[in-house]
Amino acid sequence: MKGSLKFGLFAFIIVFVAIGIIDLTSKKPIIWDRTFDQKDKNPFGLYVTHEELPHMLEKRAKITDIKEDLFTYFESDNRLKAPKEQLLFISEAFDFGDAVNNRLLKFAANGGKVFIAAEQINQKLLDTLQVDYQYFYGNEDDENIEEEIKVELTQDGIPISFGKSNLDYSFTKLPKSATILGGLRYKEHLLPNFISLKIGKGAIILHITPELFGNYYLLNNQKQYQYAARAFSYLDGQTIGWYDFKSKYNESDTPLRVLLNHKGLRQAWYLLLVSLLLFLIFKSKREQRAVKTILPEPNLSKQFCETIATLYYENGSPENMVQKKVDYFLHDIRKKFHVDTLLIHEEEFLESLSQRSGVSKEITAEMVQLIIQCQKRNHFTEQDLRNINTKIEEFKVKAEM
């Protein structure tokens, strides 16, 4: 059994070390997928955007995550009649069906503001808004113009390059009430990709290049960060409700979802399962019969002393107790300070004990005189015993015995 146990421990250590080395040395690939997930730290996730949004807004608005379905959201808390917050949507596609579209328009008409950043927007919603957009990409005189296209906000007119994105969609149809907030700049042309539509008392803001708000651009340089900040500045409410498109998919039904959603914890969980399996395999083998444990005899010295002390106190005479107390005290003095207690009547004893114990000469003289009196007397009361014990203990404390 000893050999198998050692082998099991050795195998466990090897597996553990191997996992650690692989995890430390393996190069983590950069995932460029456009996830638009608030918890995703990849280039086109929205973790940085989610963290920075309160700092981007001038009024330091409160950001709340909307995880329930939009139909339920609009029908609760009287939101359609009296909007209390402005809404933000960032995703690759915005398509919730006619029921949500109607409530979204009613929400805006009653004073709500909606910011939608999506590359694909429900066509019926676009038709209702009298808006359309299409794919923009091509050549001019056999020259590739993709690298020359930049993004610009109309409020500052500064073209900004976003090199990791395909800037290939622009609005082609707009109602008269539309306000162009930004677009794609190619030479003297500005192709709108960011607009605001007045709807009743509120507005719907559309942006068809959502990846410009990803982690990569907010961290890449200050101009790209400022672009996102100025775009979000059109959300001027006290509370911003950010719809979490990934909330339905991120939540696992298993109780172990916290472990399984984090790579490090997931690896530790699997390692634990493998270790338990190895333990059961080696534990299932025949083991040596348990050897009976023989405990050593207990040390009852303390209990013995307590018993003897109790007998002395209950049955012994005060005279005997006083003599024992004095004898033990003199023994402690000899052991601690190395003085000859036979010379207790001499002045030299008093001087030596006072110096070595650090107790004043007056208190030492009082203590020595008490001992001499106890040695001469033959009769004591219980009160005398208590007084003598108190004096001796006080001297010990002062002398640090």
Side-chain angles (χ1 to χ4, degrees), residues 12-31:
F12 173 79
I13 294 173
I14 291 296
V15 171
F16 185 81
V17 172
I19 291 177
I21 293 175
I22 293 173
D23 188 59
L24 291 174
T25 57
S26 61
K27 186 178 180 180
K28 305 296 187 297
I30 299 176
I31 301 174

Side-chain angles (χ1 to χ4, degrees), residues 349-394:
F349 175 84
L350 178 62
E351 292 284 349
S352 178
L353 181 59
S354 175
Q355 291 177 359
R356 298 186 183 191
S357 65
V359 181
S360 65
K361 187 174 181 181
E362 291 77 9
I363 297 176
T364 304
E366 183 181 346
M367 190 68 242
V368 170
Q369 189 62 33
L370 178 62
I371 294 172
I372 294 173
Q373 291 177 2
C374 292
Q375 290 176 338
K376 292 180 179 180
R377 290 175 58 183
N378 294 323
H379 179 72
F380 296 92
T381 63
E382 289 186 3
Q383 186 60 41
D384 293 334
L385 175 59
R386 292 191 184 93
N387 294 338
I388 293 169
N389 180 70
T390 301
K391 292 289 185 182
I392 290 175
E393 293 302 323
E394 289 177 352

Side-chain angles (χ1 to χ4, degrees), residues 56-83:
M56 293 179 180
L57 304 176
E58 293 182 1
K59 295 183 179 181
R60 301 281 294 197
K62 178 183 178 182
I63 309 300
T64 61
D65 295 332
I66 303 173
K67 298 183 180 295
E68 58 186 322
D69 65 273
L70 282 180
F71 187 89
T72 304
Y73 171 80
F74 283 125
E75 290 297 324
S76 61
D77 202 18
N78 199 30
R79 287 190 173 94
L80 289 179
K81 295 182 179 179

Side-chain angles (χ1 to χ4, degrees), residues 191-289:
L191 307 173
N193 73 336
F194 185 25
I195 63 173
S196 176
L197 303 167
K198 181 69 174 176
I199 308 293
K201 298 178 182 179
I204 293 180
I205 300 171
L206 299 179
H207 196 300
I208 52 176
T209 317
E211 59 195 72
L212 303 187
F213 304 107
N215 297 327
Y216 174 79
Y217 291 125
L218 265 66
L219 298 174
N220 188 43
N221 66 51
Q222 187 64 25
K223 287 185 178 180
Q224 293 166 347
Y225 180 94
Q226 287 298 327
Y227 175 88
R230 291 178 181 177
F232 286 135
S233 67
Y234 291 102
L235 293 170
D236 51 6
Q238 295 294 326
T239 304
I240 309 298
W242 186 337
Y243 184 77
D244 186 358
F245 283 85
K246 301 292 183 177
S247 60
K248 297 179 181 178
Y249 309 102
N250 288 341
E251 291 294 333
S252 174
D253 294 333
T254 171
L256 300 174
R257 59 180 177 273
V258 175
L259 295 176
L260 298 179
N261 285 342
H262 296 81
K263 184 177 179 181
L265 295 178
R266 186 169 61 249
Q267 290 179 348
W269 172 248
Y270 292 148
L271 179 61
L272 177 62
L273 293 180
V274 172
S275 304
L276 289 175
L277 179 61
L278 291 174
F279 175 77
L280 292 175
I281 292 173
F282 291 109
K283 192 73 174 177
S284 63
K285 293 187 177 183
R286 185 177 178 181
E287 295 184 357
Q288 181 182 353
R289 186 175 60 184

Side-chain angles (χ1 to χ4, degrees), residues 37-303:
D37 188 350
Q38 299 173 4
K39 305 178 186 65
D40 197 344
K41 297 182 180 181
N42 291 330
F44 291 124
L46 297 173
Y47 176 82
V48 177
T49 313
H50 190 269
E51 295 296 314
E52 286 295 315
L53 184 57
H55 306 286
M56 293 179 180
L57 304 176
E58 293 182 1
K59 295 183 179 181
R60 301 281 294 197
K62 178 183 178 182
I63 309 300
T64 61
D65 295 332
I66 303 173
K67 298 183 180 295
E68 58 186 322
D69 65 273
L70 282 180
F71 187 89
T72 304
Y73 171 80
F74 283 125
E75 290 297 324
S76 61
D77 202 18
N78 199 30
R79 287 190 173 94
L80 289 179
K81 295 182 179 179
K84 298 178 180 178
E85 55 191 0
Q86 299 180 354
L87 302 182
L88 173 63
F89 301 88
I90 304 178
S91 178
E92 185 173 4
F94 182 90
D95 190 354
F96 292 96
D98 295 342
V100 172
N101 288 346
N102 294 334
R103 283 160 179 77
L104 188 71
L105 293 170
K106 187 175 181 180
F107 176 85
N110 289 331
K113 185 176 284 189
V114 182
F115 189 118
I116 300 174
E119 192 173 278
Q120 302 172 28
I121 302 176
N122 180 270
Q123 189 59 46
K124 289 186 177 180
L125 177 61
L126 292 177
D127 293 340
T128 303
L129 298 173
Q130 301 179 16
V131 172
D132 201 3
Y133 65 96
Q134 67 180 13
Y135 180 79
F136 167 77
Y137 182 80
N139 297 291
E140 185 176 285
D141 299 330
D142 296 329
E143 180 182 355
N144 194 324
I145 65 173
E146 183 181 10
E147 297 180 357
E148 298 183 36
I149 298 177
K150 300 182 185 302
V151 180
E152 179 180 314
L153 291 174
T154 55
Q155 64 176 330
D156 54 25
I158 301 175
I160 303 173
S161 176
F162 288 83
K164 295 293 183 180
S165 298
N166 295 323
L167 306 174
D168 46 18
Y169 283 96
S170 67
F171 288 106
T172 56
K173 176 184 176 183
L174 297 175
K176 293 182 179 180
S177 61
T179 301
I180 298 175
L181 305 179
L184 307 178
R185 171 64 68 182
Y186 173 66
K187 296 183 178 178
E188 72 277 6
H189 305 291
L190 181 65
L191 307 173
N193 73 336
F194 185 25
I195 63 173
S196 176
L197 303 167
K198 181 69 174 176
I199 308 293
K201 298 178 182 179
I204 293 180
I205 300 171
L206 299 179
H207 196 300
I208 52 176
T209 317
E211 59 195 72
L212 303 187
F213 304 107
N215 297 327
Y216 174 79
Y217 291 125
L218 265 66
L219 298 174
N220 188 43
N221 66 51
Q222 187 64 25
K223 287 185 178 180
Q224 293 166 347
Y225 180 94
Q226 287 298 327
Y227 175 88
R230 291 178 181 177
F232 286 135
S233 67
Y234 291 102
L235 293 170
D236 51 6
Q238 295 294 326
T239 304
I240 309 298
W242 186 337
Y243 184 77
D244 186 358
F245 283 85
K246 301 292 183 177
S247 60
K248 297 179 181 178
Y249 309 102
N250 288 341
E251 291 294 333
S252 174
D253 294 333
T254 171
L256 300 174
R257 59 180 177 273
V258 175
L259 295 176
L260 298 179
N261 285 342
H262 296 81
K263 184 177 179 181
L265 295 178
R266 186 169 61 249
Q267 290 179 348
W269 172 248
Y270 292 148
L271 179 61
L272 177 62
L273 293 180
V274 172
S275 304
L276 289 175
L277 179 61
L278 291 174
F279 175 77
L280 292 175
I281 292 173
F282 291 109
K283 192 73 174 177
S284 63
K285 293 187 177 183
R286 185 177 178 181
E287 295 184 357
Q288 181 182 353
R289 186 175 60 184
V291 179
K292 183 179 179 180
T293 302
I294 301 176
L295 299 175
E297 293 295 332
N299 186 355
L300 303 176
S301 301
K302 184 178 179 182
Q303 290 85 339

